[in-house]
Amino acid sequence: MLKELALFFAVGTLLGAMTGALIGQETESGFVRGAAVGAISGAVFSIEVFESSLVLWQSDESGIGCVLYLVSNFSLSLQALEV
C-alpha cells in the first residue's frame, strides 16, 4: 500500500507542478511560484483520491453508491483546493 501511495503522491506532484507552472507563466505569480503551489495542491489532491479509492475498495456498498461517493468526494476536494 505504501508503494501505491508514493506513486499517487509522485504523479500528483508532477502533474500539479506542470499545471501550476503553465498557469503561473500566464499570470503575475510567475513560473516558479505557480509550479510550487501546483505541486503541493497536486500532491494533496492525489492523496485524497488514493484514500477515497481505498475506502471504496474496502467497502461493501454497491457499484452505483461507490461511484456517487467517489464523485462527491472529488468535487469536495476540488472545491477545497480553490482558494
Side-chain angles (χ1 to χ4, degrees), residues 1 5 8 44-59 61 65-78:
M1 183 171 100
L5 182 61
F8 269 78
V44 169
F45 181 72
S46 65
I47 290 173
E48 291 289 328
V49 169
F50 178 78
E51 289 175 349
S52 297
S53 300
L54 190 60
V55 166
L56 287 176
W57 183 264
Q58 295 173 346
S59 73
E61 294 184 30
C66 289
V67 170
L68 291 175
Y69 173 78
L70 194 58
V71 169
S72 172
N73 201 3
F74 288 158
S75 66
L76 290 174
S77 296
L78 286 174

Side-chain angles (χ1 to χ4, degrees), residues 15-64:
L15 290 176
M18 292 185 331
T19 304
L22 290 174
I23 292 171
Q25 188 175 9
E26 298 296 322
T27 63
E28 293 180 14
S29 64
F31 182 82
V32 175
R33 185 171 189 271
V37 170
I40 293 168
S41 298
V44 169
F45 181 72
S46 65
I47 290 173
E48 291 289 328
V49 169
F50 178 78
E51 289 175 349
S52 297
S53 300
L54 190 60
V55 166
L56 287 176
W57 183 264
Q58 295 173 346
S59 73
D60 292 332
E61 294 184 30
S62 68
I64 298 294

